[in-house]
Amino acid sequence: MDRSAVRARRGFTLVEVTAALAVGALVLLLAYRVYGGVLDGAARLLAAQQKIDRSANARRLLTALVEGIEVGTVPGSGFQGSRERVTFTTWTVGARGWAERRRVSVFTSDGVLRVQGLAPEPLHLADSVEALSIDYLLDFGAAERWGQAWMSEVSAPVALRLRVAHPGRTDTLLLLVGPRG
């Protein structure tokens, strides 16, 4: 056997090294894309989870506020409701963990559903709100009708129906007034 043939067989050819580098680079590129896709998916999942959590917390807050409605016990504790805004006195848990009487309002402003009266600034409950319409139920029963306004210093409706219009969908919340109202 020729010595030059033996020497040529000891290493890799330039074509083999180039092919190995190209395959390695392709594997790294695919791994990077998969990793980026996983990160993007995780970020979208986290954003969706936070949106669902905000929505659930807003519903829980509104339910608790309406369940704690109190009217007629102190001056100025009446229930006032129009088609776009509702104001009432309710019991909430304060910063120290004690129940506190608060005067709150639920309304929309600049495309945001807000609650005023729980903190120095109105609380932000929902984004992208096109419209809010509130209905008031006088009494339970199949024949009962929903009214579009409520003004009383001594009584509250049996339930509130909030229709929150967002682009492409409308959320309807049925909130039952608690035994104090």
Side-chain angles (χ1 to χ4, degrees):
M1 197 163 187
D2 187 14
R3 277 186 147 179
S4 61
V6 171
R7 255 189 243 143
R9 293 284 181 177
R10 285 189 192 170
F12 295 104
T13 66
L14 182 60
V15 172
E16 291 171 331
V17 169
T18 304
L21 287 174
V23 168
L26 184 61
V27 168
L28 284 175
L29 178 65
L30 290 175
Y32 177 75
R33 290 227 171 172
V34 168
Y35 180 71
V38 168
L39 287 181
D40 288 345
R44 283 193 308 270
L45 183 62
L46 181 62
Q49 180 183 8
Q50 288 173 341
K51 184 177 179 183
I52 290 169
D53 288 347
R54 274 193 308 270
S55 176
N57 287 337
R59 289 172 194 252
R60 271 193 293 274
L61 175 64
L62 288 171
T63 299
L65 291 174
V66 171
E67 283 178 349
I69 286 178
E70 183 174 82
V71 292
T73 58
V74 293
S77 66
F79 188 97
Q80 299 170 338
S82 67
R83 194 76 168 138
E84 298 86 23
R85 182 184 188 102
V86 61
T87 302
F88 52 87
T89 301
T90 187
W91 285 92
T92 64
V93 177
R96 295 182 179 165
W98 295 94
E100 297 177 357
R101 187 180 288 132
R102 301 277 180 114
R103 187 86 174 147
V104 299
S105 296
V106 178
F107 60 97
T108 57
S109 172
D110 300 323
V112 175
L113 180 63
R114 301 179 190 273
V115 171
Q116 184 174 1
L118 297 176
E121 295 293 320
L123 297 179
H124 178 124
L125 297 183
D127 292 331
S128 305
V129 176
E130 292 179 340
L132 171 67
S133 64
I134 307 169
D135 298 316
Y136 307 90
L137 185 62
L138 173 63
D139 201 4
F140 287 115
E144 293 299 322
R145 298 179 70 112
W146 291 86
Q148 295 183 358
W150 189 281
M151 298 290 195
S152 175
E153 289 294 318
V154 295
S155 68
V158 173
L160 303 177
R161 180 174 58 194
L162 278 68
R163 292 189 186 129
V164 183
H166 299 278
R169 76 176 202 282
T170 300
D171 293 334
T172 302
L173 302 168
L174 180 61
L175 305 169
L176 299 177
V177 175
R180 289 184 181 187

